[in-house]
Amino acid sequence: MEAVIVAGGLGSRLLPLTERRPKHVLPVGGVPFLAHQLVKLAHSGVDTVVLATSYHAEAFQPVLGDGSRYGVRLSYVREPEPLGTGGAIRHVATALRSGPDEPLLVLNGDQLSGHDLVAQVDRLEQTDADVVLHLVRVADPRAYGCVPTDANGVVLDFAEKSARPASDQVNAGCYVFRRRVVDTIPGGEVVSVERETFPALLLGGYRVVGHLDDAYWRDVGTPQSLVDASGDLVLGVAPSAAMPPIDGVALVQDGARVEGEVRGGTVVGPGAAVGAGARVDRCVLMPGSIVGSGALLDRCVLGPGAVVGTGARLDRVVVGDDAVVAAGWTATGQHVACASRVG
Ligand code: GDD
Ligand code: MG
């Protein structure tokens, strides 16, 4: 089976971490985020994956290679310009070999999901559907695609980021298309699969079916959801076969040095350091970043090479690559630009 991962978005909610790389390769649980999706796809019977790239397209191949270490054949298709989610799917279709009635998996490249992909694929035949959408229930559906269904799971509507959603069931960003349905998306233009393609399919009488599931699911597109996904992976709350074995409440990677306390599923990336008396709770410390002695960090992300001075107190702060936070600085919820100095 073939899969497409759309991974060309700007990742603007994760700035400044996404200034120099796409969000899809940021370390989550100590591995590039897409590793979780690729390994899951391999375990679900997918042998070929095409990444639809645009923003920082050059950054993927050096990190993910040909996919063999994740158990898939991975190739990359770069858009001449960002074509939107639907345009990206249509654009990569030329690189696919599946027959017209075969299932094609399409994933947003920022979803960490424990749902049973094989069961979702099986629903295509079981329900004689044209498309099967993975759906989840969320407390606040306004930031998602709202997807009400009837009693048989047949999709009634698709309302992207509606201010007044009709249901708490939302699009979880994983689709099984019958391959030929992708050809209904116009080629060579910007198309949103959520705002245009799904509503058009419903209007056109196509059979779109929901696959509602309550397994672990998270979109890692914001700093706090990235921190939570990473912490959940380390603590074993989120399932992923791409995780290294972990013993304890933190993951300390090669060449990292920890003198203080790390907990809550914190990842101390390769070559990163946590000084004596520091306490780092549920954070992501990227390679070579440094937490000074006595500093207190809660749910923060430090970009590669970022330095936090002695005794700083940071709560939900994102520190960009190579930025320096002065000793004793106290902040909540701030984003510190790459290579800047604060405090
Ligand atoms: N190749 C390509 N080209 N990929 C793109 C483009 C593009 O022009 N625009 C966005 N993408 C990719 C992003 O990189 C991401 O992997 C995916 O498409 C979804 O984009 P996001 O920007 O993350 O969308 P969202 O999180 O606001 O909403 C989407 O996900 C929700 C679930 O988390 C929608 O699909 C919602 O309907 C859904 O509920
Ligand atoms: Mg997203």
Side-chain angles (χ1 to χ4, degrees):
M1 191 164 39
E2 290 180 306
V4 171
I5 301 179
V6 285
L10 298 175
S12 41
R13 288 167 288 186
L14 281 163
L15 281 169
L17 302 169
T18 45
E19 194 179 307
R20 300 180 183 177
R21 59 191 75 77
K23 65 177 163 181
H24 312 280
V25 300
L26 287 172
V28 180
V31 299
F33 178 74
L34 283 173
H36 301 292
Q37 292 194 328
L38 295 175
V39 170
K40 176 171 175 163
L41 288 167
H43 287 191
S44 307
V46 171
D47 53 10
T48 304
V49 180
V50 185
L51 267 191
T53 69
S54 174
Y55 179 69
H56 277 307
E58 76 296 340
F60 289 93
Q61 208 270 341
V63 176
L64 303 169
D66 64 1
S68 51
R69 87 186 78 130
Y70 307 113
V72 295
R73 251 193 322 267
L74 181 61
S75 60
Y76 306 86
V77 175
R78 179 187 198 144
E79 288 148 41
E81 50 166 335
L83 291 173
T85 46
I89 298 165
R90 177 69 167 81
H91 185 248
V92 300
T94 48
L96 304 173
R97 287 163 318 174
S98 311
D101 286 318
E102 287 187 85
L104 170 68
L105 265 164
V106 177
L107 278 74
N108 284 349
D110 61 352
Q111 322 286 318
L112 182 63
S113 175
H115 85 288
D116 182 342
L117 257 181
V118 176
Q120 184 185 352
V121 173
D122 287 347
R123 274 182 79 93
L124 193 71
E125 292 310 326
Q126 284 162 3
T127 61
D128 194 25
D130 295 301
V131 187
V132 177
L133 307 181
H134 175 211
L135 305 179
V136 292
R137 289 208 158 94
V138 294
D140 182 358
R142 288 174 299 180
Y144 303 96
C146 175
V147 187
T149 50
D150 72 11
N152 298 317
V154 175
V155 171
L156 301 171
D157 189 22
F158 194 113
E160 182 67 10
K161 300 195 172 60
S162 160
R164 263 170 290 139
S167 150
D168 63 353
Q169 266 181 202
V170 301
N171 171 28
C174 175
Y175 322 124
V176 184
F177 278 88
R178 212 172 277 283
R179 165 68 185 82
R180 62 179 152 71
V181 178
V182 170
D183 300 334
T184 66
I185 303 172
E189 55 184 88
V190 179
V191 181
S192 161
V193 79
E194 298 91 347
R195 294 181 194 276
E196 298 169 75
T197 308
F198 292 136
L201 290 174
L202 292 172
L203 268 178
Y206 285 82
R207 190 168 163 80
V208 183
V209 169
H211 180 72
L212 186 65
D213 186 288
D214 60 4
Y216 184 95
W217 178 84
R218 200 180 283 283
D219 175 315
V220 301
T222 67
Q224 286 315 301
S225 60
L226 184 131
V227 158
D228 279 330
S230 189
D232 287 347
L233 284 160
V234 171
L235 296 176
V237 174
S240 171
M243 287 299 288
I246 291 164
D247 179 22
V249 292
L251 170 60
V252 179
Q253 296 188 290
D254 288 351
R257 284 180 300 116
V258 175
E259 294 175 48
E261 187 192 354
V262 289
R263 62 188 197 191
T266 288
V267 177
V268 186
V274 176
R279 198 179 66 219
V280 180
D281 198 356
R282 206 167 176 77
C283 294
V284 176
L285 310 183
M286 293 198 199
S289 58
I290 296 173
V291 177
S293 48
L296 300 179
L297 271 64
D298 194 5
R299 305 168 74 93
C300 296
V301 187
L302 304 192
V307 178
V308 173
T310 311
R313 287 168 172 256
L314 308 182
D315 178 15
R316 282 163 282 156
V317 171
V318 178
V319 185
D321 303 28
D322 304 317
V324 177
V325 169
W329 195 57
T330 298
T332 300
Q334 303 211 23
H335 289 212
V336 179
C338 294
S340 66
R341 285 188 80 89
V342 290

